[in-house]
Amino acid sequence: MTYISCFNTQLFNNLLHWTRAKVPHRSIENLTLDWNNGVNLAYLVEALAPGSWENLGDVSPDTAEDNIKTGLKLAYDALGVFPRIKVEEFMNHQVSELDMATYMWQFRNSKISSATQRTQRCSASRLVWV
């Protein structure tokens, strides 16, 4: 049991370090409470798939359920990150750190989808031609 506990601590710390590097302007100290309102999820998705989250500046902790629903959908559509955790669990202050880590780990291995890349190229080309 000690080995598993040690492995989890290393895994969580590694994941936290990676996440902080992706969204350095956000205060992320853990894999549970810092994600409950969906704001950090929004910024992580946007960092990995730029342009995928419209109106990112309007994301508010007061709209946690909508933030998380949108984040789970965009993460799946843009990055192929399967929603292994339910919205209600994501919002729960007692969410399992292991469940969150399992979900979040997918982001490390994610690749922006070809549909998202095409949309970004189209958006960029419209900006060039206008």
Side-chain angles (χ1 to χ4, degrees), residues 6-24:
C6 178
F7 174 75
N8 284 348
T9 301
Q10 291 173 350
L11 170 84
F12 298 155
N13 288 337
N14 186 315
L15 187 55
L16 280 171
H17 179 74
W18 177 85
T19 306
R20 288 180 192 130
K22 295 299 177 186
V23 284

Side-chain angles (χ1 to χ4, degrees), residues 32-33 36 88-97 99:
T32 54
L33 296 177
N36 288 148
E88 299 79 22
E89 294 169 325
F90 212 103
M91 291 175 60
N92 187 333
H93 293 294
Q94 296 179 353
V95 65
S96 160
E97 191 173 34
D99 289 345

